[in-house]
Structures are given as C-alpha cells and as structure tokens.
Amino acid sequence: MIILGINAYHGDSSACLVKDGKLIAAAEEERFRRIKHWAGFPSESIRYCLAEAGVDLAAVEHAAINSDPGANFWRKAWFTVTHRPDPRLILNRLANRRRRLSVEDQLQKEFPQQRFVGHVYRVEHHLAHLASAFLVAPFDEALAVSVDGFGDFASAAWGVGRGTQINVDGKVYFPHSLGIFYQAMTQYLGFPHYGDEYKVMGLAPYGEPRYLDQMRRIVKLQGDGTFRLDLSYFRHHSEMVEYTWDNGSPVVGRLYTPVLEDLLGPARAGEEPLTQKHKDLARSVQAMYEEAFFHLLNNLHARNGIDSLALAGGCAMNSVANGKIYRHTPIRRVYIQSAAGDAGGAIGAAMALWHQLQAGQRGPVMNHAYWGPQYSDDQIGAVLDAGKEAINHRGCRVNRIADESELCRVAATAVAEGKVVGWFQGRMEWGPRALGNRSILGDPRRADMKDILNLKIKRRESFRPFAPSILREAVPAWFETDDDVPFMMEVFQIRQEKRAQVPAVTHVDGSGRLQTVHRDTNPRYYRLIEAFAEQTGVPMVLNTSFNENEPVVCRPEEALDCFLRTRMDVLILGNWMLVRDSANG
C-alpha cells in the first residue's frame, strides 16, 4: 500500500511517501522552490517522493493531508456566535477551507500526464502532529503532546499513545495559543518574519526575566494544566490579520494590539539597536513559555503516570525548553522527530492513515533524518565539469578522493586548521536542521570561529549560537545531561570544565544545541568527527546549515554556487574536494 502524506497551505509545505508502513522519502517544498518556509501545494516535494519510490501518481492508493476543515466545527460555530469577529476574518477562513478541500484538483493540475485514482483522507491537524511523533518513536507507550500556533481551530492537543493507537484526551482551542503568544512577542521585539522565533530563543540568554510578571498578565495558567491568553493584547481573534499561505514565503500580519505597548513600552523597530531591555524581554518571553509548557507536562504526568514523551508541533522546535524537560518534570524519555513543525504533519497524516487502514504492529522507529534527494559521484562530477570556468576563475583546485578514511582525515585536518568546510553528502535531511549531510563545518575550539563564519558566509545576528555535532558516546563527558539528541532538538548545558575548550559552540549561558552522531545512521559524518577527535582530542565539530540567507542547499549545483559566491575555504561534495586558493579568498 502506497500513501502520499501532504502538508499543504501551511508554512513549510512538504510531502512524504510511505509504502507498507515504511517511510521511503520526505522533503520540504522550500528546498526545491528556494524560498524559505514556502507555503502552498507541495508539488515538487510530491514529484521527488514519487521519483524516489519509482512510481507515478497512479500507483498511490491514498493521499493523507494534515488538515481537516470539518474538525471542531461546533467550537468554530460557537466562537463565531459569541465573539462576532471581523467578517473579513470569517471570509478568509472560508477561502482557506475551500483551498484545502481541493487536493484532488491540485494533484490533477500539477500532474496532468498522470491520473490519481486513490482516495484523499483529511487528518485533523493536531492528530497528525501527535502521530508524527508517537508512531515513529521508540516507545510503545508515551504521553503524546502537540503545541503550536493554530491548526483546525486548536493550538494544542495531548493524550496517550499505546501501540498503534493515540487517544486524544484534551485540547486548547482558538483563540488561546502559546505559539501565538511567542510569535506576537517575536514581532514586538522587531523580528517580523515567519519563523523568526528562534532569534528570540537565541537572544534570551543575554537577558534576565525582569518582565516575567508582565508576561503572566498575558498568559494565564489554569488549574487543569492548560493556559489562556488575555485577549486584550492580541488581534488574531477579532480583527483581520493578514495571513498569506499561497505560493511563497508565509506572511503573518501584526498579532498584538496597542495594549501590549501600554504594558511593555514601544515595540522595537526592525533596525533599532538591541538594548538590554530587549534582551530581558526575550528572556521573559522564553521563561513564560517554559512555565506554561512545564505546567502542562507536569499536569499530564500527574494524571497518567507515564514518563515517556512524544512531542510535536511548531513549539516543539523550542530546543531550549525541550532541553530542560528532565530538570523541570518527572519525564525521563523524550522523542522529537526532525521535522516537529508543520512539515512533519505530512508524515503524521500518512502514518495515522496507515495504522487506521492496516491494523498491526508499529512501523520502524525514525532514528535518522536522511529522507531527501541524493546525488551520485558521477552526477556531482558533471556539475563540477559544467562549472569548470567559474571554479578556475576563483582559483579553486579540484580533487577526487575515493578512499573514505582518507577523505574524512583530510576534511578533519581542514577543520582543525581553522578552515570553513562545506560538507555535502548522501540524502538531504528532513526538517530544518542540517545534520551532517548538508552542513558547513568549523572548529569548535576557536573562539573566533563564529565571527569567521559570519564574515565569510552567514552574515547573521551576532547573538545567535552555533551548534556542535558530537559522537554519541562522548556526550556524558562533555554535557551535563546524557541523552540521545539525533535531530538537534534539545539544548543541554556543556560541562563547566569543558566550555573553554569549545568556545565556538558554547552559548553565553554555557549551553549547546547538540546533535548526537551515530556510526550506524551516518557513518561518513561519524568518521569525520572521529578523525577530528584523533587529531585534536575534541569529539565534536561546529555544524551549521549549508546556506547563505536561503533554504538549505538541496542539489550539488546549489552547494557549488554557495561555495563560489562566499568565502568558504573547502567544499566536499561526495568524494569530490574543492580547495580555494587563499590568495583568491
């Protein structure tokens, strides 16, 4: 049985293909369209998934989309009657509903030479989130929790997963939302773009939670573990806030009202310098989110007594909070898949449908994120041949190293010498993190490596940290918490005595957003880090995404273009190695 999973008309549109309960391929549309967080119908992701599986659309028996416009209907009706929102808001929601009902038409339009004869199933948004975590987790029983902005008129859902079943026990409905709270505060702090919340998370350690009392006036914790917003600070429930989800980067209009500025003072303009007040506000926002998040988890644990957690939803991308779960709750095992946000709903919808139609044992655990396109050495060689003139013009030497041990040794030496190395290998990662196949690597021992990366390539805010990729078995010696974090979804404290050795990946609060690397899931990346450890005594490298203010590179052409237009020192594509002449840097 072949199931196509789809996340459409949300940010990070995506698709996956599941065959007989096993994931075959998954990718986000932004990687093909080259527009960050691309929203719309993921036709190119679908095209890739079909090609990877070696089938056409006619072979797909079912399509599952992570949205059910009919879900929570009576809640929607009651809200409309009791709150009387702006009529334009209602019309906008109806237009979205019509779009999401047209999956069959969209498939026919995008694939005119193929015929889809299967059935389309609509899986409620948060059930898809819950399924995207629990049904691929290494747990037979776990608390399943989804927290995000909104989807199908709810912002959070939770329950218990056992075997192949998820029983949803509760939800938080529109207009109350931790995701909206964090997004509104992100806008207030002068970061207006969709997905900018990670900037607030990175800024927070530079401040103190001096405004936590004010935050508690905005977010009210409830006795049952849930939360409510003081709606006087928000516009999304009553006014026509701009939302654009069609064929491009998502746009979300201003979510907060002037009442928020009455409480906290004027909002920061985008180009206004960051002051200590802004840093303190960021810390207070993060602290409020954590307070509400742990309040929910502790309540769920008290009710169910289960110490395993499968977590999903856009708020599950808050790696700082995730890394504190063990310290602030009785939960002892956590699983968060690599695409925890809306992109992951494609897998959740497909897996939920598979288990609905084909009752049986749980499918394989998703223990790696390498589900995207890959390219052979011959294909990469052809790209290099086509770009020979530009490569020569930049003074770059090209060499092919067939022996993997030698390739990893040479790459590790380059990193240890302080060079910035582009590393393009195997199948592209699923989810927003670069996890060793579409990565830029640096030496974590160099205090100036952050400045070097920003100068040569990244050009991003100086307060944002870089992450370490570390051999799994080395974690307890370097971090205060010993856990497996294969998808870079948790931030742990680096041991006090180790921080001075790896300043490039140690944030201002002593933390690091680690990726644990396993020999069996990414052997080449493991061997590179192992070679670096043999040369330096440090079992980790600095790992950042292979991009320059764009989506992470997908194809070798994009990797080569990024290398040539920046000041990256070395590029390794498969077995091919390009070294830039220092005089031409």
Side-chain angles (χ1 to χ4, degrees):
M1 181 188 296
I2 294 177
I3 300 174
L4 188 65
I6 300 172
N7 167 48
Y9 310 116
H10 281 284
D12 303 311
S13 293
S14 62
C16 75
L17 190 141
V18 171
K19 183 177 181 181
D20 297 332
K22 296 180 180 179
L23 183 62
I24 303 299
E28 291 157 283
E29 192 74 2
E30 67 160 28
R31 306 297 173 87
F32 305 103
R33 305 273 186 165
R34 310 308 302 159
I35 297 173
K36 278 189 172 185
H37 301 296
W38 196 91
F41 191 78
S43 57
E44 299 308 307
S45 299
I46 293 171
R47 205 177 311 278
Y48 154 68
C49 289
L50 293 173
E52 184 67 34
V55 300
D56 64 14
L57 201 57
V60 175
E61 296 168 66
H62 307 286
I65 185 169
N66 65 330
S67 176
D68 179 5
N72 304 314
F73 172 79
W74 292 111
R75 286 274 180 174
K76 296 174 187 176
W78 177 251
F79 178 84
T80 302
V81 170
T82 55
H83 287 75
R84 298 185 180 180
D86 187 323
R88 293 174 298 169
L89 180 63
I90 299 172
L91 293 172
N92 180 263
R93 295 294 185 269
L94 291 173
N96 288 341
R97 175 188 172 97
R98 285 192 294 273
R99 267 199 304 276
R100 291 170 184 173
L101 288 171
S102 63
V103 175
E104 297 90 341
D105 293 341
Q106 283 287 349
L107 286 171
Q108 195 59 55
K109 175 184 174 183
E110 299 293 344
F111 299 88
Q113 306 304 316
Q114 304 178 39
R115 189 178 175 203
F116 174 65
V117 294
H119 301 281
V120 173
Y121 292 80
R122 291 164 178 84
V123 179
E124 193 270 333
H125 184 81
H126 284 280
L127 177 58
H129 272 317
L130 297 174
S132 77
F134 176 70
L135 293 180
V136 298
F139 313 137
D140 287 326
E141 180 182 66
L143 297 173
V145 176
S146 167
V147 184
D148 68 4
F150 286 113
D152 290 335
F153 211 69
S155 73
W158 54 86
V160 174
R162 291 188 177 92
T164 62
Q165 301 295 315
I166 301 172
N167 294 316
V168 179
D169 296 331
K171 295 179 182 179
V172 173
Y173 293 97
F174 185 93
H176 304 285
S177 166
L178 282 180
I180 290 294
F181 160 71
Y182 211 108
Q183 188 176 19
M185 292 307 305
T186 298
Q187 293 177 346
Y188 171 86
L189 285 167
F191 305 113
H193 301 298
Y194 183 88
D196 274 353
E197 289 85 351
Y198 67 95
K199 296 182 180 181
V200 174
M201 192 169 60
L203 183 63
Y206 291 90
E208 296 295 332
R210 294 190 174 93
Y211 297 91
L212 186 54
D213 286 344
Q214 287 90 331
M215 296 300 137
R216 288 171 177 155
R217 293 171 62 177
I218 301 170
V219 180
K220 307 292 184 68
L221 305 189
Q222 306 297 299
D224 61 356
T226 63
F227 48 84
R228 295 177 68 84
L229 301 180
D230 182 332
L231 295 174
S232 67
Y233 297 104
F234 300 93
R235 300 177 60 230
H236 65 282
H237 63 291
S238 60
E239 301 179 40
M240 180 56 197
V241 175
E242 178 188 8
Y243 285 94
T244 302
W245 305 106
D246 285 335
N247 301 321
S249 185
V251 175
V252 178
R254 181 171 55 85
L255 291 166
Y256 60 88
T257 67
V259 180
L260 184 67
E261 294 183 283
D262 293 340
L263 178 68
L264 300 175
R268 173 179 171 259
E271 301 304 316
E272 183 183 337
L274 285 163
T275 66
Q276 189 58 47
K277 178 182 178 180
H278 297 130
K279 297 170 186 177
D280 292 342
L281 281 165
R283 180 68 177 273
S284 302
V285 171
Q286 178 67 23
M288 184 69 252
Y289 170 77
E290 292 174 8
E291 194 171 285
F293 179 53
F294 299 139
H295 179 63
L296 174 61
L297 295 185
N298 281 315
N299 186 277
L300 295 177
H301 184 274
R303 275 189 262 162
N304 295 281
I306 298 171
D307 62 4
S308 296
L309 171 67
L311 181 65
C315 292
M317 299 300 299
N318 194 312
S319 53
V320 172
N322 299 342
K324 298 177 182 178
I325 289 173
Y326 297 141
R327 282 191 276 156
H328 294 281
T329 78
I331 289 166
R332 289 295 167 260
R333 297 193 301 166
V334 175
Y335 179 84
I336 310 164
Q337 69 122 317
S338 59
D342 284 337
I347 285 179
M351 287 297 183
L353 180 60
W354 162 257
H355 287 294
Q356 176 186 328
L357 298 177
Q358 191 75 29
Q361 294 184 340
R362 290 167 58 85
V365 172
M366 190 191 296
N367 62 356
H368 69 79
Y370 310 113
W371 300 105
Q374 61 183 334
Y375 300 87
S376 69
D377 251 22
D378 287 343
Q379 289 174 305
I380 293 170
V383 169
L384 297 178
D385 190 56
K388 187 181 300 182
E389 182 178 344
I391 292 169
N392 291 336
H393 180 69
R394 299 296 198 284
C396 300
R397 305 189 308 276
V398 181
N399 186 27
R400 187 174 184 276
I401 305 174
D403 180 79
E404 182 171 88
S405 294
E406 178 63 9
L407 179 75
C408 292
R409 185 195 67 78
V410 171
T413 299
V415 173
E417 291 174 347
K419 292 183 170 64
V420 177
V421 177
W423 182 254
F424 182 101
Q425 303 290 333
R427 296 185 71 174
M428 183 180 70
E429 296 92 339
W430 163 246
R433 311 286 193 223
L435 300 171
N437 279 8
R438 302 291 188 274
S439 292
I440 294 173
L441 308 179
D443 188 345
R445 302 171 303 159
R446 293 190 57 150
D448 60 349
M449 184 51 65
K450 179 190 288 189
D451 294 333
I452 291 171
L453 282 165
N454 278 330
L455 177 67
K456 291 190 172 186
I457 303 160
K458 288 293 186 172
R459 301 182 180 91
R460 68 188 198 179
E461 295 91 346
S462 61
F463 61 81
R464 289 167 53 192
F466 287 100
S469 291
I470 182 170
L471 301 180
R472 172 63 185 97
E473 60 271 22
V475 170
W478 287 80
F479 285 85
E480 293 180 3
T481 303
D482 180 17
D483 197 19
D484 195 18
V485 190
F487 306 132
M488 209 181 278
M489 288 295 192
E490 293 169 82
V491 171
F492 293 155
Q493 289 293 303
I494 297 172
R495 290 191 177 277
Q496 183 74 43
E497 68 275 14
K498 296 289 191 181
R499 294 173 188 175
Q501 296 183 52
V502 288
V505 295
T506 303
H507 203 18
V508 66
D509 60 350
S511 67
R513 191 186 71 198
L514 71 163
Q515 174 205 358
T516 53
V517 181
H518 294 252
R519 190 188 299 274
D520 59 338
T521 55
N522 197 332
R524 180 167 285 196
Y525 193 39
Y526 185 97
R527 292 184 80 169
L528 184 155
I529 301 172
E530 192 175 43
F532 184 80
E534 289 169 359
Q535 295 179 27
T536 67
V538 175
M540 69 182 79
V541 295
L542 181 153
N543 170 18
T544 188
S545 54
F546 199 147
N547 60 349
E548 182 204 22
N549 297 317
E550 61 181 329
V552 176
V553 298
C554 174
R555 304 181 302 138
E557 292 91 340
E558 294 150 8
L560 177 61
D561 182 57
C562 184
F563 172 74
L564 292 176
R565 73 173 182 264
T566 64
R567 295 166 59 189
M568 204 180 306
D569 300 300
V570 177
L571 173 61
I572 299 176
L573 298 148
N575 293 327
W576 296 91
M577 183 172 182
L578 285 74
V579 180
R580 189 189 302 272
D581 187 330
S582 58
N584 290 278

